[in-house]
Amino acid sequence: MSDAAVLSNAQLNKRILSVIVFTFFCYLSVGLPLAVLPGFVHNQLGFSSFIAGLIISLQYFATLLSRPHSGRLADRYGPKRVVMMGLVFCGMSGVLSIIAALCSDMPLLSLALLAAGRLFLGVGESFSSTGSTLWGMNIVGPLQTARVISWNGVATYFAMAIGAPLGVLLNQWFGISGFAGLVAIMGVAGFWMASRKAGVSVTAGVRIPFHRVVSRVWMFGLALGFGTIGFGVISTFITLYFASRDWSGAAFALTLFSLGFVIVRLGFGRYITRLGGLKVALVSFVLECAGLLLIWQADSIWLVDLGAFLTGGGFSLVFPALGVEAVKRVQQQDQGSALGTYSAFLDLGLGLTGPVAGLLIGHWGMQSVYLAAALMVLGAFMITLRLHQQHRSQTAAQAL
């Protein structure tokens, strides 16, 4: 019996949180600049809103491209080293942002430094978050994979939720150097903390080619990407949706979305292990789709609020439920590659949501994005149903 098998829930959570703290540092670094950088680029450096948005998007593309590589490196060199590399990259983004602020009288140079910082942060995000998750999975064992991924998600969204308002406050007090300095400090502190923790041994065994990893997890990732669109359209467009109907209270709808997410993640995450990730994902997609359809057809604020709550609750378990099943498709020595590839579909879903939804709004109005998102979530349900049917067929065949 493994050491992890005899640990209490509190002891398991303590072990997991000891490495998931690095995910928190990473996503706090991501959240801090979000509400500040666009204004700095547009108002102080004098560039267009398009350029300001592009600077923000650079990070997402860097994360998307580096996710699979982060998992591969974690499999080869161990998750501890990958986490430490990621924290260095995150810290460097803060340093470059400080230098960019000091060079604000030279707009092009300042913009180039900000762009470089966003690229560093994107790579740092993929390395830190993928490495932390894999590290946690290794120290508590494969039976606790769902618990590790769930806690990783809580750390991610909690850090993002407090990051944006904290970044605004630090910017008001100290300018760009305020939030950038905190990012640099977290990079240094996180690196030091990670260096003092015991690493985990790299699993021996023959690793399969990367394209075979992709072939085993891409359908799980595609379902995740489609399911993520519901989160994307609410977080990005709910404020514009309220404004288009001359309503107030968009912030409360976002709060209810987050509340639904947290309640379901903490209250029902254990059902992934009990019932299986595919069954939980199917129920989650039904709930998320219902919430989006409710927002699409809502004729009052309280219905939108209810829809946001249902969407948040539905989306909450999608990532860990499908992620648990995705990593089962490979041996332990390839789980980092599988996790990184799977996670990249979340980045892709969020990256495409903005421009595609913008085109829909221009042609069919604001409400159309919620119908379109519901249809995408329905597509995720169908993909997951297909995976579930395949799993049942394989189980039945093995029983014969």
Side-chain angles (χ1 to χ4, degrees):
M1 181 178 292
S2 68
D3 180 38
V6 298
L7 295 176
S8 67
N9 280 333
Q11 290 171 321
L12 284 169
N13 289 335
K14 184 178 179 181
R15 282 194 176 189
I16 294 168
L17 292 175
S18 72
V19 293
I20 294 303
V21 65
F22 305 122
T23 295
F24 177 81
F25 285 170
C26 160
Y27 280 99
L28 187 58
S29 300
V30 171
L32 285 167
L34 283 180
V36 176
L37 277 189
F40 176 76
V41 172
H42 182 58
N43 298 322
Q44 292 185 245
L45 298 184
F47 292 97
S48 67
S49 298
F50 172 78
I51 295 297
L54 184 61
I55 287 293
I56 294 296
S57 297
L58 280 176
Q59 178 218 314
Y60 297 124
F61 288 114
T63 301
L64 173 64
L65 293 174
S66 58
R67 279 274 194 199
H69 300 293
S70 66
R72 205 66 171 171
L73 288 171
D75 286 333
R76 182 169 298 175
Y77 301 111
K80 174 179 175 176
R81 292 177 65 178
V82 171
V83 167
M84 291 171 68
M85 289 169 61
L87 291 166
V88 169
F89 286 138
C90 289
M92 279 300 301
S93 74
V95 172
L96 288 168
S97 297
I98 292 173
I99 300 173
L102 296 175
C103 298
S104 59
D105 56 338
M106 295 178 281
L108 282 175
L109 176 60
S110 181
L111 186 72
L113 289 166
L114 287 177
R118 299 298 292 170
L119 293 174
F120 269 102
L121 185 58
V123 176
E125 176 190 344
S126 62
F127 278 41
S128 299
S129 60
T130 303
S132 295
T133 306
L134 192 63
W135 200 350
M137 288 163 55
N138 275 279
I139 62 176
V140 296
L143 293 179
Q144 301 299 329
T145 296
R147 187 193 294 254
V148 175
I149 297 177
S150 291
W151 273 115
N152 194 67
V154 171
T156 297
Y157 290 101
F158 180 62
M160 292 284 284
I162 67 174
L166 179 59
V168 171
L169 284 176
L170 291 173
N171 183 61
Q172 290 173 349
W173 294 337
F174 307 107
I176 291 293
S177 299
F179 83 77
L182 180 55
V183 171
I185 290 170
M186 285 193 296
V188 173
F191 181 89
W192 178 79
M193 290 169 61
S195 69
R196 292 174 60 84
K197 283 191 61 63
V200 291
S201 58
V202 178
T203 304
V206 178
R207 293 181 174 84
I208 61 176
F210 181 66
H211 67 87
R212 290 183 60 191
V213 175
V214 175
S215 70
R216 295 185 184 187
V217 304
W218 74 272
M219 285 189 69
F220 297 93
L222 189 62
L224 171 67
F226 283 169
T228 300
I229 291 173
F231 164 68
V233 295
I234 287 185
S235 62
T236 305
F237 293 103
I238 196 68
T239 302
L240 296 177
Y241 178 82
F242 269 71
S244 71
R245 307 190 72 170
D246 294 322
W247 291 345
S248 59
F252 184 63
L254 285 170
T255 299
L256 286 174
F257 175 88
S258 301
L259 187 62
F261 182 96
V262 172
I263 288 174
V264 172
R265 179 65 70 95
L266 296 180
F268 298 93
R270 62 186 181 276
Y271 287 101
I272 296 173
T273 302
R274 293 182 183 180
L275 303 177
L278 293 174
K279 289 181 180 179
V280 171
L282 287 171
V283 175
S284 297
F285 286 135
V286 170
L287 192 61
E288 185 180 359
C289 187
L292 290 165
L293 290 174
L294 197 58
I295 296 174
W296 170 53
Q297 286 291 284
D299 56 6
S300 64
I301 294 176
W302 76 268
L303 285 175
V304 176
D305 289 343
L306 177 59
F309 180 82
L310 290 176
T311 305
F315 176 66
S316 178
L317 295 179
V318 168
F319 185 90
L322 291 174
V324 165
E325 300 300 328
V327 298
K328 285 180 182 178
R329 296 301 177 100
V330 298
Q331 297 298 316
Q332 189 172 359
Q333 63 265 25
D334 291 304
Q335 286 187 345
S337 298
L339 185 63
T341 302
Y342 167 74
S343 300
F345 283 88
L346 184 146
D347 302 313
L348 182 62
L350 290 177
L352 292 177
T353 294
V356 173
L359 290 174
L360 289 175
I361 291 169
H363 284 86
W364 290 289
M366 183 63 65
Q367 287 176 271
S368 67
V369 299
Y370 295 97
L371 174 60
L375 293 175
M376 291 296 98
V377 173
L378 180 60
F381 176 88
M382 298 305 296
I383 294 169
T384 306
L385 183 61
R386 175 63 177 161
L387 289 167
H388 181 55
Q389 290 171 341
Q390 290 176 350
H391 176 71
R392 290 181 61 184
S393 298
Q394 291 169 358
T395 304
Q398 290 171 358
L400 295 177

